[in-house]
Amino acid sequence: MNNYGQSPVEWTVVSTGIGPLLLAATGQGLVSVVFHADGPVREKALGQLRDRLGTEPAESASGLLAEPIRGLSAYFAGELREFTLPLDWSLSTGFNRQVLRELATGVPYGTVVGYGDLAKRVGQPAAAQAVGAAMGSNPLPVVVPCHRVVESDGGLGGFGGGLETKRRLLALEGVLPEPLF
C-alpha cells in the first residue's frame, strides 16, 4: 500500500535548454525533478521514486504533469520568474525541508544567497555545511532554486546537476553572463 491512496505517481521527461529533465508528480504536487534524465539516470530515478513512494510511477505528460511542464517551459523561455506549482515535499524531511522551503519562498528569481546566509534565515547560523547538504538532497531542483545558493566568496559552490548547468540557470536569470560557447 502506498502513502497516496488512489493518487498515482506520474512521470515524464521534458527537453530543456539544460538537457532532459525527469518530472514526477503525485496528487499533492510536483515531487521530483531529475537532471540529465537519459537512459540509466532515468531508470535509477524511477527506481528511487518507486522505493520511496511505494507505488509504480506511470508515464504521462498530461494530468498531474501538465502544469509543471507549462511552468518549466515558460521558465526556460524567460517568461516565468516565480513557480506557483503545488509541491509534494514528501521526499524531504527535517532540516533539509526547512531550508528548501525557505529557499523556495525567500530567494527570488535573479538573486543569489550564500550558504551561511540561508543557514541564518532558518535560525541555524553555524549550519552552512548542512545547508550545502540540503541543497544536494533537493528533490525539486530548478523549481526549488538551489542553483541560487552560492559561496560567500562569490564562488558557485557545488551543484547536483553539474556546475555548467548551474551557470546556465544563473545566466538565464541574469545573474551571470551567458556562457561563451
Side-chain angles (χ1 to χ4, degrees):
M1 188 69 185
N2 66 53
N3 298 338
Y4 298 94
Q6 298 303 315
S7 179
V9 176
E10 295 180 3
W11 70 275
T12 194
V13 174
V14 295
S15 296
T16 72
I18 57 168
L21 294 179
L22 181 140
L23 308 178
T26 68
Q28 295 172 334
L30 188 65
V31 71
S32 181
V33 176
V34 178
F35 293 113
H36 316 298
D38 284 328
V41 171
R42 180 184 64 239
E43 294 311 312
K44 181 180 178 188
L46 291 172
Q48 290 172 334
L49 285 169
R50 186 180 310 110
D51 293 346
R52 299 270 317 265
L53 299 176
T55 189
E56 185 67 37
E59 188 170 7
S60 172
S62 59
L64 300 174
L65 289 168
E67 190 55 34
I69 290 168
R70 277 192 294 275
L72 282 161
S73 176
Y75 171 80
F76 284 108
E79 301 164 357
L80 179 76
R81 291 176 169 249
E82 181 180 356
F83 289 99
T84 57
L85 300 168
L87 302 177
D88 178 337
W89 291 97
S90 63
L91 297 180
S92 184
T93 59
F95 178 78
N96 290 357
R97 184 185 292 189
Q98 181 184 10
V99 169
L100 293 171
R101 283 182 179 266
E102 172 60 30
L103 177 63
T105 59
V107 183
Y109 183 98
T111 67
V112 293
V113 66
Y115 293 95
D117 291 334
L118 196 51
K120 288 176 194 158
R121 288 187 190 193
V122 297
Q124 301 287 331
Q129 283 188 307
V131 166
M135 296 306 102
S137 75
N138 183 2
L140 295 160
V142 181
V143 176
V144 176
C146 52
H147 59 277
R148 296 180 190 153
V149 183
V150 298
E151 295 175 346
S152 59
D153 65 3
L156 285 180
F159 193 64
L163 289 182
E164 186 55 36
T165 299
K166 187 171 188 171
R167 280 188 199 93
R168 286 175 179 241
L169 290 168
L170 291 172
L172 172 72
E173 294 187 12
V175 174
L176 293 176
E178 287 293 333
L180 299 173
F181 56 93

